[in-house]
């Protein structure tokens, strides 16, 4: 098997990649918990048998599992390492495994009560003479056994089979890591992060094999196949190496096959997951059956009933990777010609939508794909959001079939992948070398400026476009800048009279604008219309943007207060994007999901969804800014000891925040409030509410009013009137502000119940906390206790949170708004003098107020205050222990 040629050396100025030390243990939490239960049980199974193909993570799971029984004497065997003992030594002396097993038997005989744990990695390599000893050890009442075996279609030793067949051992067949776990693992392989496009390609080719992921990355570092760009590492020329360690594992299996068997495997590997009927055209049925019996091939039918044909897949990820990446171009070319000849040319394959893989096969074999095949492959790659392939194929289209259409397609693919630097270089090259093909690039240039939020430059290039195109870009720019009424009006006009190519995107802009305008019910009606239109639209690149329709559907449900429905859609869309390695889309979907999780009160998970690193990025300016703002929002709801580095972009203005201006105002108001700058916090929110009302963003105005009440700040004067709000969620947020302003227990009670019913647990807990204070002021101690208990119950599902309404929850003594504010500042570490300066009070007033707070809550000092502020169980025990 041929490996890839060694690449040229890096330039002197190119930094060298460094492998990260250690890697996270991902994807096996459930298996580890099952092992823990077996090891902890006194009766029942005597241990666990971990089975699976090479590279699936058996050894790592075994290593992690050993720490689950710290009270047991550990006996760890590694037969594969023992096999390195020289032949003459092995013949004269027993192996380390044999000696360890013999010592174990003697120990068990001397002290039957001694608790021990026997761990054997690659137990199938022990040899027949030692299997009975393992069998006896697993039967011993004082011990536990953890075994791992590599099952590549070979029969297990009979003694080991007997252990799990009669339930002495629990069998655990490990499956490949899913896409989410692979994403987490690839993010941790290199110091400085692996670029998301490279990570997605690596994850796709490694098919969930942890060993393969690590080995490919290690080999890429050693062979200098990584370059540094835009804050992370990327594979050089999209080239992935075939590690020698993988070849060593795969070659014995391949050599056992004949030439026909190897040829069949190569065809399946190069064709991706071809249709069974296609493979049968070239491969003998008996040969395929033999490969199936060897567990090298299997037939899968993942498509819904009646919508697809069975496909053939190489079972072993190491074999699949070695054959798909390790074949030299000339061998690929011969296999490609055999494949095409068997089908009478590409037409039959194209009819079954095998265009994408077939076109890439041509490129890998250094052959020029036919124009029709290349066009269909580009269409498929854009429709299925396979952006790295779209960029590669459109580049090939421009190189082999230069023209205005192929130039524009390549530019659009670069924009979709947020490759703006490469786009600029491409546009410059085309205008200099072939200016007659540059006309179509004006639209691409306008879109790139739009998605980089370079609105002033966008205005200068729009006159070169048609009137309908100008309307489209002005509509999109208006939405991103937060001018929702204007964007909605332009979108409505564009759908009636504009180009058909922009009708769907105009509808998406309308849905988003309606949500911000407080009209999510109308957005849901529009969704049904757009969904119907989309189902009638033939496939093509226009469908590239249709993936946002379900996201906006969930957003409208979110604003309506139908949280469970919205979350199901968000999780589904996010999981699909990750599973299919859709770069950029996965980040965008994760951000939308994080927004909902924040409003549900699941703050830590929301922060993870909203945090974009250099290797996990959308690349489009509007989403980058939105991610930073929403991550900062989630961060502001966590206790101080759980906060990480500030994710908010430096120097961000409300104009730059655009459609996220209200969330930015909330973040900054919270920061002012934490520092005691209540006047600044109040002015920030009031200005944001006024701006939202000016843009007809009534939903954003309701959020600002709700936040004023959450921070115990006065509402704008005079209070905004005529808010047009649809949906329970928006109406309840506005009602919270009204209930707080009026100090009305009945209204606050209805608000709390409404939040709880829709699943907004954090907001509901805050409402119940305020309700308890209202009842305390009215002398309703029993009702206050019930409201406090309900708030604590809701917070159980939120994880660690710290927001002003929840501070000192359940304290028997009532604190005023000023006392809570001063107590919070003192608990945060500010001395009395700084608190006095922030609040424009005298130091004596602050000291006296703090003394009253200490008396009311039972605290002795600031440390007690900090503990009591966020304690949810009543807090009496904390101070009592002192």
């Amino acid at each position: 098997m041929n490996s890839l040629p060694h690449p040229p050396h890096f330039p002197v100025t190119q930094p060298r990649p460094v492998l990260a030390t250690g890697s996270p243990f991902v994807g096996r939490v459930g298996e580890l918990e099952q092992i823990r239960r077996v090891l902890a049980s006194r009766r029942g199974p005597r241990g666990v048998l971990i089975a699976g193909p090479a590279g699936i993570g058996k050894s790592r799971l075994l290593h992690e599992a050993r720490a689950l029984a710290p009270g047991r004497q550990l006996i760890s065997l590694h037969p594969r390492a023992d096999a390195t003992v020289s032949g003459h030594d092995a013949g004269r002396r027993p192996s380390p495994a044999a000696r360890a097993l013999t010592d174990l038997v003697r120990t068990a005989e001397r002290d039957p009560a001694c608790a021990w744990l026997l761990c054997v990695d690659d137990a199938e390599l022990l040899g027949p003479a030692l299997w009975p000893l393992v069998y006896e050890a697993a039967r011993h009442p004082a011990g536990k056994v953890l075994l791992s075996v590599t099952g590549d279609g070979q029969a297990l030793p009979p003694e080991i089979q007997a252990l799990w067949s009669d339930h002495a051992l629990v069998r655990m067949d490990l499956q490949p890591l899913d896409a989410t776990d692979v994403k987490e693992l690839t993010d941790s392989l290199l110091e400085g992060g692996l670029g998301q496009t490279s990570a997605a390609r690596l994850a796709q080719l490694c098919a969930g094999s942890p060993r393969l992921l690590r080995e490919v990355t290690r080999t890429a570092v050693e062979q200098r196949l990584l370059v540094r760009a835009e804050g992370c590492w990327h594979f050089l020329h999209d080239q992935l190496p075939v590690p020698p360690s993988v070849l060593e594992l795969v070659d014995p299996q391949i050599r056992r096959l004949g030439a026909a068997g190897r040829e069949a495997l190569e065809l399946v590997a190069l064709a991706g997951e071809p249709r069974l009927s296609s493979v049968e055209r070239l491969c003998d049925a008996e040969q395929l059956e033999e490969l199936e019996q060897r567990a090298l091939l299997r037939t899968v039918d993942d498509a819904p009933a009646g919508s697809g044909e069975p496909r053939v897949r190489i079972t072993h990820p190491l074999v699949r990777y070695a054959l798909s990446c390790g074949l030299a171009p000339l061998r690929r070319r011969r296999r490609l010609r055999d494949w095409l000849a068997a089908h009478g040319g590409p037409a039959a394959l194209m009819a079954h939508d095998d265009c994408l893989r077939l076109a890439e096969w041509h490129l890998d074999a250094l052959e020029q794909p036919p124009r029709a095949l290349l066009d269909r492959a580009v269409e498929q790659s854009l429709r299925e959001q396979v952006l790295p392939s779209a960029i590669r194929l459109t580049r090939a289209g421009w190189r082999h079939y230069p023209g205005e259409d192929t130039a524009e397609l390549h530019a659009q693919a670069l924009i979709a992948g947020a490759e703006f630097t490469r786009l600029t270089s491409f546009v410059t090259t085309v205008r200099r070398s072939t200016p007659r093909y540059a006309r179509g690039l004006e639209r691409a240039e306008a879109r790139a400026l739009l998605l980089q939020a370079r609105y002033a430059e966008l205005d200068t290039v729009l006159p070169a476009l048609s009137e309908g195109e100008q309307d489209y870009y002005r509509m999109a720019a208006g939405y991103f800048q937060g001018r929702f009424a204007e964007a909605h009006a332009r979108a409505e006009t564009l759908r009636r009279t504009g180009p058909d190519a922009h009708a769907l995107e105009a509808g998406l802009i309308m849905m988003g604008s309606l949500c911000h305008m407080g009209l999510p019910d109308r957005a849901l009606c529009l969704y049904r219309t757009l969904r119907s239109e989309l189902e009638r639209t033939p496939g093509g690149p226009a469908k590239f943007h249709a993936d946002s329709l379900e996201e906006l559907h969930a957003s409208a449900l979110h604003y309506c207060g139908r949280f469970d429905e919205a979350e199901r859609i968000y999780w589904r869309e996010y999981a699909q994007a990750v599973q299919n390695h859709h770069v950029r889309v996965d980040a965008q979907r994760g951000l939308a999901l994080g927004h909902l999780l924040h409003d549900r009160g699941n703050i830590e998970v929301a922060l993870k969804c909203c945090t974009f690193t250099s290797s996990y990025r959308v690349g489009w300016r509007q989403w980058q800014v939105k991610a930073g703002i929403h991550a900062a929002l989630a961060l502001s709801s966590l206790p101080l000891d759980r906060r990480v580095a500030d994710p908010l972009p430096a120097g961000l203005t409300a104009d730059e925040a655009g459609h996220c201006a209200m969330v930015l105002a909330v973040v900054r108001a919270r920061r002012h409030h934490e520092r005691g700058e209540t006047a600044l916090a109040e002015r920030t929110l009031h200005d944001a509410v006024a701006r939202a009302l000016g843009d007809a963003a009534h939903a954003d105005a309701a959020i600002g009013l709700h936040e004023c009440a959450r921070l115990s700040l006065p509402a704008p004067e005079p209070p905004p009137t005529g808010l047009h709000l649809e949906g329970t969620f928006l109406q309840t947020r506005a009602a919270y502000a009204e209930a707080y302003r009026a100090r009305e227990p009945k209204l606050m009670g209805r608000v709390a119940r409404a939040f709880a019913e829709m699943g907004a647990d954090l907001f509901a807990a805050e409402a119940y906390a305020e309700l308890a204070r209202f009842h305390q002021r009215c002398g309703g101690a029993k009702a206050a206790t019930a409201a406090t208990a309900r708030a604590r119950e809701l917070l159980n599902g939120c994880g660690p949170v710290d927001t002003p309404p929840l501070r000192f929850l359940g304290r028997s003594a009532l604190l005023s708004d000023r006392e809570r504010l001063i107590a919070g500042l003192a608990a945060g570490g500010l001395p009395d003098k700084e608190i006095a300066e922030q609040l424009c009070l005298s130091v004596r007033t602050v000291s006296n107020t703090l003394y009253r707070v200490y008396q009311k809550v039972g605290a002795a000092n600031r440390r007690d205050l900090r503990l009591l502020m966020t304690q949810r169980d009543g807090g009496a025990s904390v101070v009592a222990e002192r």
Side-chain angles (χ1 to χ4, degrees), residues 850-861:
L850 273 178
Y851 177 77
R852 289 195 302 273
V853 169
Y854 289 157
Q855 294 295 107
K856 289 181 178 182
V857 303
N861 50 41

Side-chain angles (χ1 to χ4, degrees), residues 18 21 92 132 143 182 216 231 311 334 401 413 440 455 501 549 559 589 596 606 614 657 663 765 829 844 858 869 879:
V18 178
T21 55
R92 294 177 182 177
V182 167
V216 171
R311 303 240 166 197
R334 190 197 329 165
Y401 307 103
Y455 302 117
L549 181 57
Y559 276 79
R589 297 295 171 268
L596 175 68
S614 59
V663 185
R844 183 172 182 178
M869 186 170 66
V879 181

Side-chain angles (χ1 to χ4, degrees), residues 194-253:
L194 187 61
Q196 195 61 12
T197 301
S198 294
R201 185 155 184 261
L202 176 62
Q204 192 169 22
L205 289 171
C206 290
S209 170
R211 176 189 288 180
L212 190 51
L213 284 164
R214 295 188 181 97
E215 288 299 302
V216 171
T217 307
R218 180 184 61 79
T219 307
V221 170
E222 292 172 352
Q223 295 185 2
R224 301 186 178 183
L225 287 175
L226 292 163
V227 292
R228 187 79 174 168
E230 297 181 343
C232 49
W233 294 101
H234 304 268
F235 287 110
L236 185 65
H237 307 308
D238 297 326
Q239 189 178 22
L240 271 67
V242 180
S245 57
V246 171
L247 296 178
E248 291 169 4
L249 288 170
V250 169
D251 276 346
Q253 298 186 61

Side-chain angles (χ1 to χ4, degrees), residues 387-671:
L387 300 184
S389 293
I391 292 172
R392 182 189 187 198
L393 292 169
T394 54
R395 182 172 63 241
W398 164 252
R399 184 171 65 250
H400 295 301
Y401 307 103
E404 185 176 324
D405 56 343
T406 54
E408 185 174 5
L409 262 180
H410 184 49
Q412 296 292 1
L414 290 171
I415 292 169
E419 300 283 357
F420 295 116
T421 302
R422 291 169 64 181
L423 172 70
T424 302
S425 175
F426 175 69
V427 171
T428 302
T429 300
V430 172
R431 284 179 172 161
R432 183 177 60 247
S433 61
T434 49
R436 65 184 182 278
Y437 297 146
R439 174 67 180 171
L441 297 179
E442 293 172 347
R443 288 188 294 270
E445 190 174 23
R447 191 171 193 87
L449 293 171
L450 170 70
L451 294 176
Q452 294 176 88
R454 294 160 62 180
Y455 302 117
E457 295 172 72
L458 175 63
D459 288 338
T460 64
V461 303
L462 286 184
L465 303 181
S466 66
E467 186 176 345
E469 293 288 340
Q470 292 183 45
D471 290 341
Y472 163 75
Y473 286 109
R474 290 195 174 101
M475 168 201 70
Y479 176 80
F480 288 134
Q481 291 175 293
R483 303 195 302 270
F484 301 113
E486 174 193 329
H488 180 271
R490 287 184 181 276
E492 204 168 27
T493 302
L494 198 60
R495 277 182 59 78
R496 286 198 309 268
T497 62
D500 291 341
H502 295 310
L504 176 61
E505 286 187 86
L508 299 178
I509 292 289
M510 285 179 67
M511 282 188 68
S513 298
L514 287 169
C515 287
H516 282 280
M517 293 164 68
L519 304 172
D521 285 340
R522 288 179 55 187
L524 288 177
C525 292
L526 179 57
Y527 163 76
R528 290 187 283 271
T529 300
L530 295 176
R531 173 52 60 190
S532 176
E533 290 177 3
L534 190 60
E535 289 170 354
R536 297 194 301 268
T537 303
K543 277 198 173 183
F544 174 75
H545 301 285
D547 67 292
S548 296
L549 181 57
E550 287 303 315
E551 179 186 325
L552 285 166
H553 178 207
S555 181
L557 292 170
H558 176 180
Y559 276 79
C560 283
R562 295 158 63 178
F563 279 28
D564 290 341
E565 296 173 72
E567 186 170 351
R568 280 195 296 270
I569 295 173
Y570 278 138
W571 275 118
R572 183 192 70 208
E573 296 298 306
Y574 176 64
Q576 287 179 356
V578 172
Q579 187 68 39
N580 295 319
H581 309 290
H582 289 167
V583 179
R584 179 190 61 76
V585 180
D586 54 1
Q588 189 175 323
R589 297 295 171 268
L591 175 56
L593 174 62
H595 182 196
L596 175 68
L597 292 175
H598 171 272
D599 287 352
R600 297 209 79 153
N602 199 342
I603 304 299
E604 286 194 315
V605 180
L607 178 60
K608 187 175 181 180
C609 289
C610 296
T611 301
F612 291 0
T613 64
S614 59
S615 63
Y616 182 56
R617 62 188 181 88
V618 173
W620 294 357
R621 174 66 177 172
Q622 292 84 354
W623 274 267
Q624 291 292 132
V625 168
K626 184 176 181 179
I629 293 173
H630 279 268
L633 179 70
L635 206 65
S636 68
S637 295
L638 290 175
L640 288 174
D641 60 349
R642 289 182 176 266
R643 298 188 185 181
V644 293
D646 185 10
L648 198 64
L652 190 65
T653 66
D655 287 337
E656 291 172 324
H659 64 312
C660 297
M662 177 53 72
V663 185
L664 176 63
V666 169
V667 170
R668 290 193 166 144
R670 289 184 185 181
R671 294 182 176 184

Side-chain angles (χ1 to χ4, degrees), residues 765-786:
E766 292 176 343
Y768 275 113
E770 289 292 358
L771 179 61
R773 295 186 183 98
F774 291 174
H775 285 309
Q776 285 176 330
R777 290 192 181 98
C778 299
K782 186 175 180 179
T785 300

Side-chain angles (χ1 to χ4, degrees), residues 691-702:
R691 172 174 174 152
L693 292 173
D695 288 323
H698 290 190
D700 290 0

